Amino acid sequence: MNPVQLELTPKVLRVSWADLRAEFSFPQLRAECRCTECQAAWLQGEKPDIQPGLVVRDITLIGYYAIQLHFSDGHERGIFPWDYLYKLAINH
């Protein structure tokens, strides 16, 4: 389900779908990354080291199905499909 609006603010990522609006903090998004590096760390019982002041510096659209977030800590491997963000919005 593709959103109708996407807004990157200095503190949050706002995503609006036809039936739902969500605000994601940058640390929340960093903690929810599903890239292979983060998944391997989770399997080993490790959590991402989220530094104070973490921000999303840029967003790259990946086709019509996802975004790639570029975090200030250099992490930019995670792809966030729209349906994944929608599920995160419902569960938070």
Side-chain angles (χ1 to χ4, degrees):
M1 173 179 283
N2 290 0
V4 295
Q5 185 177 12
L6 179 68
E7 179 185 6
L8 180 62
T9 76
K11 295 190 179 199
V12 297
L13 175 66
R14 290 188 183 120
V15 186
S16 298
W17 292 267
D19 63 340
L20 180 66
R21 181 182 168 141
E23 287 189 354
F24 299 99
S25 72
F26 302 139
Q28 174 192 5
L29 290 167
R30 181 67 178 86
E32 298 288 351
C33 181
R34 299 187 314 170
C35 76
T36 55
E37 178 182 311
C38 290
Q39 291 301 302
W42 277 104
L43 289 172
Q44 295 174 0
E46 300 171 10
K47 294 182 181 180
D49 181 24
I50 300 172
Q51 300 295 318
L54 178 78
V55 297
V56 172
R57 290 189 173 162
D58 198 14
I59 298 174
T60 302
L61 290 173
I62 306 296
Y64 293 103
Y65 75 96
I67 55 175
Q68 179 181 13
L69 300 177
H70 305 269
F71 293 95
S72 59
D73 65 357
H75 190 78
E76 55 185 35
R77 294 183 182 179
I79 305 281
F80 291 78
W82 298 127
D83 61 338
Y84 179 60
L85 287 172
Y86 189 85
K87 289 175 188 173
L88 287 177
I90 289 173
N91 294 322
H92 282 82

